[in-house]
Amino acid sequence: MKIKAWNISSKNKEYATPIYNVFKNKARSVISGIQGDFFVIEAPDWINVVAMTSDDHVVLVEQYRHGTEEATLEIPGGVIDETDDSPLQAAKRELSEETGFTSPKWTPLGSVSANPAIMNNRCHLFLAENCALTDQINPDEHEEIAVRVIKRSLFLQEIKMGNIHHSLVVAAVAKLGLVKPGMFITA
C-alpha cells in the first residue's frame, strides 16, 4: 500500500502566540475514508549551528528551558526572523547574538523536520568552522545564556551520556557525521 496525503477539508486557527499558531485541521484519509481532527503547530523555520573553534572546541550555550524546566546545554540556534534573507544569515546572526562568536567558514548540513507528527517547520543545520570570539553576546529579551566552550571529545561524551539531550542538537551531530565523516570520530 502506498501512503497518500489526507484531504484537508478545513483549517481553523485555535490559538495564536508570538512564536507559533495552533490549527485544528479536519482531514479524511483517501485510503480508508476515516476522518478526524488533527492539531498542527505552525511555526517559522529554525536554525542550529555546530560551531567549532580552530583548536578543536565546540561553542555551546547553556540556558533554562521552560518545556523541561531545566537548564540545558545546546548548540546555538533560534528562529529564522522575517528580516533574515536566508537560513544562513539567520545562523550567522544567532551564533553572534548568543555567543559572540563569528565564523569565516560555513557549511550547510541540510535540514530536519522538528516534529512532523504535530509541527510544520524545519530546522536548518550548519557547521561553522574556525570560530573566534569577536563580539559581545546580545541575547533576546527572555534569554539568559551562559556560553560554554568545550573540547570536541567532551561534547561527544556529553551526548553519549545523555547530558546533552536536545533532539535537534543530536540531529545536527548526526547530519555532520554524514556530511563530514570522521569529524566526530574520537580516538
Side-chain angles (χ1 to χ4, degrees):
M1 167 175 56
K2 183 175 179 182
I3 301 298
K4 298 179 181 178
W6 288 40
N7 290 330
I8 299 171
S9 58
S10 68
K11 281 183 151 186
N12 186 48
K13 187 186 292 186
E14 298 287 308
Y15 191 73
T17 79
I19 301 171
Y20 62 85
N21 296 314
V22 177
F23 283 82
K24 180 169 116 177
N25 296 350
K26 187 171 287 300
R28 178 180 303 278
S29 167
V30 296
I31 295 171
S32 68
I34 194 167
Q35 182 173 300
D37 293 332
F38 300 89
F39 292 87
V40 176
I41 299 169
E42 292 192 357
D45 281 2
W46 303 324
I47 60 86
N48 266 346
V49 180
V50 179
M52 304 286 301
T53 65
S54 59
D55 63 348
D56 204 31
H57 285 73
V58 181
V59 180
L60 302 171
V61 293
E62 184 177 6
Q63 58 189 321
Y64 181 82
R65 292 301 195 182
H66 293 273
T68 56
E69 298 180 352
E70 66 180 331
T72 62
L73 197 55
E74 307 170 3
I75 57 178
V79 172
I80 299 175
D81 291 341
E82 291 178 5
T83 58
D84 293 320
D85 291 333
S86 66
L88 177 59
Q89 182 184 9
K92 291 177 178 182
R93 176 185 51 75
E94 286 286 348
L95 178 62
S96 176
E97 285 177 1
E98 291 189 353
T99 70
F101 281 77
T102 57
S103 170
K105 185 176 179 186
W106 290 83
T107 304
L109 301 175
S111 65
V112 294
S113 295
N115 182 349
I118 61 170
M119 299 183 78
N120 74 328
N121 68 333
R122 297 188 69 81
C123 184
H124 303 269
L125 309 169
F126 293 91
L127 169 64
E129 295 178 88
N130 301 319
C131 291
L133 183 61
T134 59
D135 298 320
Q136 295 288 323
I137 69 167
N138 184 26
D140 292 337
E141 176 187 11
H142 296 110
E143 288 180 323
E144 296 173 347
I145 294 174
V147 178
R148 307 281 188 242
V149 181
I150 65 173
K151 195 87 171 138
R152 176 177 50 98
S153 58
L154 178 58
F155 173 62
L156 294 175
Q157 274 302 113
E158 292 293 314
I159 292 172
K160 184 177 180 180
M161 294 178 348
N163 296 329
I164 295 177
H165 50 78
H166 191 306
S167 62
L168 295 174
V169 174
V170 176
V173 171
K175 288 288 250 182
L176 178 57
L178 294 170
V179 172
K180 291 201 168 213
M183 176 164 270
F184 274 152
I185 295 176
T186 57

